[in-house]
Structures are given as C-alpha cells and as structure tokens.
Amino acid sequence: MARDLDFPLSVVGVPTVREADGLALSSRNAYLSPEDRQRAPVLQRALSAGAAVSARGPQAVLDTARAVLAEEPSVAVDYLELTDPDLGPDPQAGRARLLVAARVGGTRLIDNIPVRL
C-alpha cells in the first residue's frame, strides 16, 4: 500500500513475536476465552506444517496447512493464502509467504510465516 500510494516512507518487516506455544503476540489475544486461547495456536501449527513440506511445492504447502486447521473445526478460516513476499501472486518456486486469518470464537486472528519453495 505504501508503494502503491507513493507514501514517502519505508516499510521494514521484523520477526513475529510469539507466545511460548507459538501464538503470535497480539492485543487481540486478550479477547480469547480460556477455551479459545487453547485452540488458537492451531494457526501457527498449520503455518509451520505447511512450511515444513515446502520442497513438495505450493499445493502441498496449502493442503498440509488446511489439514492442520481442520483439526480444530471450531476455528473458522477466513483465508489461507500463499503469496510472494510482497503479497503478490503465489510463486511456484523461491521465496514465499504463507498467510492465515481465522476466527477463534469471536476473535479474528492473523498470522504468517516465510516459506521457501
């Protein structure tokens, strides 16, 4: 967006800070019930599982991540996408980013992880 709107600034990515169980640190986590908080780390497990099979290609990444997300049927996935690092079309090889947004209870959580195909 900064590039598209020609804003005079630089966007610098930094590593995601995570809880001990892998859940991305977010102010939204405070809205999770204790039960939902136990379910929420499925997002990071799905991303990690997808990244772990990246040598098998983009479809394997997505299929694997979807399978892990399906283990928590109460988690409603808004999207699971594989994009290039700048959020462009999904690459077939090289650097990529796996992104997820899902509702855990009434809270919408987002997360992402780098992937090398």
Side-chain angles (χ1 to χ4, degrees):
M1 184 172 91
R3 181 177 38 239
D4 289 348
L5 296 176
D6 201 25
F7 287 139
L9 55 88
S10 297
V11 177
V12 178
V14 297
T16 301
V17 178
R18 298 187 178 279
E19 300 278 356
D21 61 2
L23 182 64
L25 210 56
S26 170
S27 59
R28 298 175 195 183
N29 296 352
Y31 298 113
L32 296 168
S33 70
E35 297 80 16
D36 291 337
R37 178 61 185 80
Q38 293 296 311
R39 292 181 191 102
V42 72
L43 275 68
Q44 202 279 330
R45 288 195 309 271
L47 295 175
S48 294
V53 299
S54 62
R56 295 186 358 221
Q59 196 59 54
V61 170
L62 291 168
D63 289 347
T64 301
R66 281 188 191 106
V68 173
L69 290 167
E71 294 171 6
E72 285 289 351
S74 64
V75 172
V77 178
D78 289 339
Y79 64 79
L80 176 70
E81 298 287 335
L82 186 63
T83 70
D84 78 9
D86 294 322
L87 306 180
D90 62 322
Q92 295 302 303
R95 293 176 49 225
R97 199 127 202 116
L98 185 58
L99 307 110
V100 65
R103 295 194 183 277
V104 182
T107 306
R108 186 170 189 263
L109 301 176
I110 59 173
D111 203 348
N112 71 89
I113 191 170
V115 175
R116 181 161 295 275
L117 300 168

